[in-house]
């Protein structure tokens, strides 16, 4: 039996079907347009929406590390934290082994950017964007003291190991045209500091590292030596992915621009301003004296520092700068003892025997605490500590003169870097004649503070116990008379 043919749709039904199909096409078109043309959320919007800024870095004294008290610190960390605070978001630090690993996280969008001592190079610029430079460093070839110093890359006679995918490997490949026999190995498992440690211990012949990192490590490993530079000064900057929009990078650049050169210089000084104060011989001598001399007096430094709310390593660093921890030290001007206290200061501090180690160390602790307490409250650490050290060396009156000159020249009298730059003016008659306390060896005070800072850093590294800042006020059980303008007199430290 044949089935009946379906009747043809009426004109009205055909129109209805046509309208439905047209509406479906129109709706699909609208949805397609909305899905393809609606604005995608920018990286900056993403950060603000999630409330998190995720940054890759490395553990290094030039970038990020945990301080003696367990708090995060470091040159680039301070800058990144400032950016996060400006954006009012939480900073999340992702620590990698090497800078190239940090860049890999940037390229795969697992972090927003890298702040890891990243060197800017043409090879990296193809896949990354960079902010304005934070500082400049020089890549250098490092070898060990006691081994032949190579004159150039063609003169190497041992194993050269560098971090894989670093700017150093880029440069080495460029230089192979000049030195066809040049060979090296690359490691992706070891950071630059580990390679420097291997060279210092004689486990590796050569490595290449940035000059700032080498200078810091030379204080701890005096056997490290720089043979030559392998390239001109190189910019260090933050690295952003090129495949994403630059909204966050523009904010970062604006933040760095707003900081200005002066603020960046102050921050650089905080972390790097003193690293070249003590040469490798001085660092090696300190390491020796830590074993042979410090054990006799460490408990005295600890007890005195604890009484006055100080870090004992800072007190020990002052004593080392003054006398190399020699209780019998005598300066040409008659200053005596471990802390090199003058007769006038001994009378002021009621110290009957300046050559007695306990009395000398106690007197030095009390005096540095008093100096710190008498500085204006608006001077905060670490500037407060460095200014107290300058006053310990040259007298509080001269420090106040330098602060006044700093203010008159448009600097910040509460910032050590600005005051440090003014201290040498106290040797010039056209400046010191305008001050209350007159001439002073400002250059000497600058060197003094730099040396103490270096010795302190080295003692923190050697001992590894928590640090403690100078007190903002003297402990309540301590009577503080006004000190004389220059109680320790102007004298060269006994070294």
């Amino acid at each position: 039996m044949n089935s009946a043919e379906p009747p043809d749709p009426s004109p009205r039904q055909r129109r209805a079907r046509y309208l439905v199909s047209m509406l479906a096409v129109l709706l699909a078109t609208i949805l397609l347009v909305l899905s393809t043309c609606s604005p995608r959320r920018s990286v900056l919007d993403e950060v603000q929406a999630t409330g998190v800024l995720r940054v890759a870095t490395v553990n290094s004294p030039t970038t990020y590390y945990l301080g003696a008290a367990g708090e995060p610190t470091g040159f680039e960390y301070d800058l990144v934290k400032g950016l996060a605070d400006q954006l009012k978001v939480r900073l999340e630090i992702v620590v990698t082994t090497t800078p190239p690993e940090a860049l890999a996280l940037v390229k795969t969008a697992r972090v927003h950017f890298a702040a890891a001592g990243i060197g800017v190079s043409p090879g990296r610029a193809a896949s990354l964007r960079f902010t304005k430079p934070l500082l400049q460093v020089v890549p250098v070839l490092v070898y060990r003291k006691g081994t032949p110093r190579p004159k150039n890359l063609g003169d190497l006679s041992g194993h050269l190991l560098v971090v894989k995918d670093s700017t150093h490997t880029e440069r080495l490949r460029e230089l192979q045209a000049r030195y066809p026999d040049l060979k090296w190995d690359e490691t992706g498992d070891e950071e630059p500091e580990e390679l420097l440690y291997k060279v210092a211990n004689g486990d590796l012949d050569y490595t290449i590292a940035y000059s700032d990192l080498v200078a810091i490590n030379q204080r701890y490993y005096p056997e490290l030596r720089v043979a030559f530079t392998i390239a001109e000064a190189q910019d260090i900057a933050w690295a952003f992915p090129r495949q994403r929009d630059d909204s966050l990078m523009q904010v970062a650049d604006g933040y760095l621009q707003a900081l200005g050169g002066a603020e960046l210089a102050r921050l650089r000084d905080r972390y790097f301003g003193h690293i070249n104060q003590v040469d490798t011989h001085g660092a090696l001598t300190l390491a020796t004296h830590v074993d042979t001399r410090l054990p006799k007096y460490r408990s005295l430094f600890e007890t005195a520092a604890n009484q006055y709310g100080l870090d004992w390593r800072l007190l020990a660093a002052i004593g080392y700068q003054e006398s190399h921890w020699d209780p019998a030290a005598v300066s040409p001007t008659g200053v005596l003892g471990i802390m090199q206290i003058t007769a006038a200061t001994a009378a002021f501090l009621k110290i009957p025997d300046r050559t007695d180690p306990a009395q000398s160390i106690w007197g030095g602790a009390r005096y540095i605490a008093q100096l710190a307490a008498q500085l204006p409250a608006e001077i905060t650490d670490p500037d407060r500590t460095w200014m107290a050290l300058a006053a310990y060396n040259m007298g509080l009156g001269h420090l106040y003169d330098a602060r006044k000159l700093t203010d008159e020249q448009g600097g910040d009298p509460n910032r050590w870097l600005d005051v440090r730059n003014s201290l040498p003016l106290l040797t010039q008659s056209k400046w010191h004649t305008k001050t209350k306390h007159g001439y002073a060896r400002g250059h000497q005070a600058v060197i003094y503070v730099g040396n103490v800072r270096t010795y302190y850093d080295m003692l923190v590294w050697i001992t590894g116990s928590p640090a403690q800042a100078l007190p903002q006020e003297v402990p309540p059980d301590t009577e503080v008379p006004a000190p004389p303008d220059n109680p320790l007199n102007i004298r060269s430290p006994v070294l």
Side-chain angles (χ1 to χ4, degrees):
M1 181 177 175
N2 294 332
S3 59
E5 292 287 336
D8 290 334
S10 67
R12 179 179 294 180
Q13 289 175 323
R14 286 197 297 268
R15 281 198 305 272
R17 291 177 183 178
Y18 174 76
L19 289 174
V20 169
S21 63
M22 290 300 294
L23 285 173
V25 172
L26 180 61
L27 179 60
T29 303
I30 292 173
L31 291 175
L32 179 62
V33 169
L34 290 175
S35 65
T36 58
C37 296
S38 58
R40 186 178 181 181
R41 188 165 66 175
S42 71
V43 178
L44 179 60
D45 290 338
E46 174 188 303
V47 170
Q48 293 176 327
T50 61
V52 176
L53 178 65
R54 191 172 298 106
V55 180
T57 190
V58 293
N59 269 130
S60 167
T62 62
T63 53
Y64 162 85
Y65 59 95
L66 295 181
E71 78 289 352
T73 188
F75 173 67
E76 291 199 57
Y77 172 82
D78 283 1
L79 287 171
V80 170
K81 184 64 169 61
L83 175 61
D85 290 345
Q86 177 178 297
L87 292 171
K88 297 180 181 179
V89 297
R90 177 173 60 87
L91 175 61
E92 183 179 307
I93 292 293
V94 180
V95 180
T96 63
T97 302
T98 64
E101 281 189 18
L103 293 180
L105 296 183
V106 174
K107 294 175 182 178
T108 54
R110 283 180 282 177
V111 296
H112 295 115
F113 67 91
I118 303 298
V120 180
S121 70
R124 287 176 169 174
S127 57
L128 297 162
R129 292 189 179 99
F130 294 97
T131 61
K132 65 171 293 185
L134 308 178
L135 70 162
Q136 283 195 324
V137 293
V138 178
V140 296
L141 185 123
V142 182
Y143 71 108
R144 190 177 190 274
K145 175 186 176 184
T147 62
R149 176 180 181 176
K151 299 177 182 177
N152 52 54
L153 289 172
D155 197 29
L156 302 186
S157 58
H159 185 201
L160 170 61
L161 183 63
V162 296
V163 173
K164 183 180 179 181
D165 297 327
S166 63
T167 57
H168 310 320
T169 61
E170 281 188 42
R171 180 59 177 161
L172 288 174
R173 284 191 288 269
E174 292 174 1
L175 292 170
Q176 270 189 317
R178 188 187 309 175
Y179 305 103
D181 295 330
L182 175 63
K183 296 180 181 179
W184 69 90
D185 288 319
E186 300 178 20
T187 175
D189 302 321
E190 296 171 292
E191 58 191 40
E193 273 198 295
E194 291 182 76
L195 301 183
L196 291 173
Y197 177 73
K198 282 188 171 184
V199 173
N201 282 353
D203 298 326
L204 177 65
D205 297 304
Y206 313 107
T207 191
I208 296 172
Y210 288 133
S211 52
D212 57 343
L213 187 64
V214 174
I216 289 174
N217 278 273
Q218 280 180 316
R219 297 182 300 176
Y220 312 128
Y221 311 123
E223 299 83 5
L224 293 176
R225 292 290 186 273
V226 173
F228 51 82
T229 64
I230 70 161
E232 296 180 352
Q234 190 171 21
D235 290 337
I236 299 295
W238 292 343
F240 288 75
R242 186 166 286 280
Q243 70 270 25
R244 303 198 69 185
D245 69 81
D246 64 351
S247 57
L248 180 61
M249 183 178 140
Q250 287 184 13
V251 172
D253 255 333
Y255 160 74
L256 294 173
Q257 187 68 34
L259 280 180
E263 189 59 33
L264 276 175
R266 290 182 185 122
L267 193 58
R268 284 194 291 264
D269 175 73
R270 175 176 181 178
Y271 290 101
F272 312 126
H274 59 294
I275 59 177
N276 292 319
Q277 288 292 141
V278 177
D279 62 16
T280 53
H281 174 73
L284 185 60
T285 303
L286 172 66
T288 301
H289 286 163
V290 164
D291 292 332
T292 60
R293 296 185 182 181
L294 182 59
K296 304 174 188 176
Y297 310 114
R298 175 168 174 168
S299 62
L300 295 176
F301 283 121
E302 291 176 336
T303 301
N306 184 63
Q307 180 174 351
Y308 291 101
L310 304 170
D311 185 334
W312 75 267
R313 277 87 51 92
L314 178 68
L315 193 60
I318 297 171
Y320 191 78
Q321 168 65 19
E322 295 287 354
S323 68
H324 279 198
W325 300 323
D326 180 5
V330 182
S331 81
T333 57
V335 188
L336 302 178
I338 286 180
M339 304 302 286
Q340 289 289 278
I341 296 176
T342 66
T345 306
F348 165 67
L349 295 172
K350 301 177 182 178
I351 298 174
D353 185 0
R354 290 178 285 162
T355 62
D356 177 72
Q359 294 184 44
S360 182
I361 291 171
W362 178 88
R366 183 184 178 196
Y367 190 64
I368 190 69
Q370 290 176 351
L371 290 171
Q374 292 181 78
L375 293 174
E378 56 267 25
I379 303 177
T380 58
D381 267 321
D383 302 88
R384 189 181 194 86
T385 302
W386 313 147
M387 289 197 208
L389 290 174
Y392 189 99
N393 176 256
M394 68 189 307
L396 194 60
H398 290 304
L399 176 68
Y400 283 152
D401 286 345
R403 292 183 71 243
K404 185 172 182 291
L405 290 176
T406 301
D407 187 51
E408 290 173 353
Q409 291 191 306
D412 187 344
N414 299 323
R415 296 278 193 170
W416 166 244
L417 179 59
D418 291 5
V419 174
R420 186 187 71 180
N421 292 338
S422 298
L423 281 170
L425 300 179
L426 296 178
T427 65
Q428 302 174 27
S429 60
K430 72 173 183 177
W431 294 106
H432 69 67
T433 53
K434 302 176 183 178
T435 65
K436 180 178 179 181
H437 301 89
Y439 172 88
R441 296 177 185 173
H443 295 288
Q444 175 184 295
V446 171
I447 294 172
Y448 179 89
V449 175
N451 285 351
V452 172
R453 289 175 65 178
T454 296
Y455 293 140
Y456 171 71
D457 283 353
M458 294 176 68
L459 289 172
V460 168
W461 180 78
I462 291 171
T463 60
S465 52
Q468 187 172 351
L470 278 173
Q472 297 291 316
E473 58 183 32
V474 174
D477 59 345
T478 304
E479 181 181 355
V480 187
D485 287 333
N486 187 17
L488 295 187
N489 290 333
I490 304 297
R491 76 278 187 272
S492 298
V494 177
L495 298 177

